[in-house]
Amino acid sequence: MQLVVDDVSYHAKWLTSYKHQQPTLVCLHGFTSTHQTFAFLTQSAEMAGYNLLAFDLIGHGKSDSPAMAAPYTYQMVLKVIAQLLDQLGLAQVAILGYSMGARVAIGFTISYPERVSRLIIESGTPGLKTSTERQTRRQSDERLAERILTEGVPAFVDFWGNLPLFDTQKNLPKRVRDRVRLERLSQSAQGLANSLRFMGTGSMPNYWPRLASLKIVPVAIIVGERDTKFCRIADAIHHQLPTSQIICVPDAGHCVHLERPDQIAYLVTQLMEGIV
């Protein structure tokens, strides 16, 4: 379904049939992905007790990819998610966010803690701590954005898929790798470029000083054992927020749900039940 906020259209998808009496889990995808990345959750019998809702974030999938910067800024992205939930009559939800989606999920939970019953972060960061780090990252993201616009999406997808961050995905079955590639190829150059420029890690607020405010919300951090960078970030988050829990998935990289879908589906259901 398409929902409109400030003349911008956003795509929302109920992955399961909505039942009013059941709690809702909102799923937020990563960069170059769409709501489809969470379809695997519907294969879990335990998830039948939950409403699963996934959004295509601005610049991705079936959501608009406007030329102007304003809709991509973090302040606007978080405001839009709140308004989309309002349009759907959802006062409070649990949130699962992966990578870029995890960054948005952290920001949303800090900004609207009363609207989040549980936060599940997969391979996410609360941002960069210094202005120098953020400036350097913005410059890097700008170069990538120009590369997308100059060389086109297919060339960028080839480059992106060969980043060391995704090395562990090269061992996945070809049908899985092909599905991921097609999802990435479905994006627009303008949407990806603007997403990097205006809601990349360098452009997001530094949420590290505000992590302690999340102690009122159950927080779980899922990371892949082979993703050493985000394992360190998870440890640092837990140091700032001791009430959080870290779940390290063996022999998995950055995109844990892609490499270990059955295990992640099981973990999500256990977290939703408050068992782990």
Side-chain angles (χ1 to χ4, degrees):
M1 63 185 139
Q2 296 299 124
L3 303 172
V4 178
V5 177
D6 295 339
D7 297 322
V8 178
S9 179
Y10 298 87
H11 184 70
K13 174 74 173 179
W14 286 110
L15 302 178
T16 54
S17 297
Y18 177 76
K19 296 181 176 62
H20 178 72
Q21 70 275 17
Q22 294 185 166
T24 296
L25 173 66
V26 171
C27 304
L28 302 177
H29 62 78
F31 180 65
T32 75
S33 189
T34 70
H35 69 275
Q36 294 176 341
T37 193
F38 295 105
F40 74 96
L41 288 173
T42 64
Q43 304 302 312
S44 171
E46 291 85 356
M47 292 304 299
Y50 300 94
N51 301 314
L52 299 180
L53 175 65
F55 293 120
D56 285 345
L57 293 170
I58 184 89
H60 289 75
K62 296 178 181 179
S63 289
D64 282 351
S65 297
M68 60 279 202
Y72 297 86
T73 63
Y74 262 80
Q75 181 180 9
M76 182 57 68
V77 169
L78 304 183
K79 176 184 173 183
V80 163
I81 291 175
Q83 292 189 22
L84 294 176
L85 295 179
D86 287 343
Q87 290 186 33
L88 294 169
L90 299 169
Q92 190 179 63
V93 296
I95 301 184
L96 163 63
Y98 160 67
S99 197
M100 177 182 76
R103 292 190 277 111
V104 172
I106 291 169
F108 184 82
T109 306
I110 287 173
S111 300
Y112 300 92
E114 74 285 353
R115 305 206 65 168
V116 182
S117 61
R118 182 174 297 274
L119 173 61
I120 304 173
I121 302 164
E122 179 191 345
S123 305
T125 175
L128 298 171
K129 295 180 179 180
T130 69
S131 58
T132 300
E133 288 177 304
R134 291 192 292 277
Q135 181 180 6
T136 299
R137 182 57 181 265
R138 285 196 300 272
Q139 292 170 344
S140 174
D141 286 344
E142 176 60 31
R143 289 192 293 270
L144 283 179
E146 285 296 327
R147 181 172 187 161
I148 296 170
L149 295 173
T150 302
E151 300 180 9
V153 172
F156 177 75
V157 166
D158 289 339
F159 160 78
W160 190 253
N162 282 301
L163 290 177
L165 186 67
F166 305 121
D167 277 349
T168 53
Q169 295 180 19
K170 294 177 180 178
N171 297 322
L172 292 170
K174 185 176 183 300
R175 59 178 175 76
V176 176
R177 289 183 281 115
D178 286 348
R179 186 183 76 232
V180 172
R181 178 176 171 77
L182 285 174
E183 191 175 24
R184 288 172 174 165
L185 288 171
S186 72
Q187 311 294 350
S188 77
Q190 181 169 272
L192 293 183
N194 283 350
S195 181
L196 281 170
R197 283 170 166 158
F198 307 120
M199 60 180 295
T201 307
S203 297
M204 73 179 291
N206 172 19
Y207 288 120
W208 286 99
R210 300 178 64 185
L211 284 178
S213 69
L214 293 179
K215 63 186 178 183
I216 64 173
V217 178
V219 176
I221 310 157
I222 298 174
V223 287
E225 176 188 44
R226 297 175 65 182
D227 186 1
T228 54
K229 174 182 176 180
F230 280 84
C231 284
R232 290 195 299 270
I233 291 172
D235 287 338
I237 293 173
H238 182 68
H239 180 75
Q240 292 281 103
L241 184 64
T243 55
S244 65
Q245 61 182 127
I246 299 174
I247 301 172
C248 184
V249 179
D251 198 30
H254 187 68
C255 190
V256 190
H257 71 264
L258 182 67
E259 299 179 36
R260 298 289 181 270
D262 292 342
Q263 189 167 352
I264 293 303
Y266 174 76
L267 283 172
V268 170
T269 57
Q270 295 289 291
L271 288 167
M272 290 291 287
E273 292 290 337
I275 297 174
V276 296

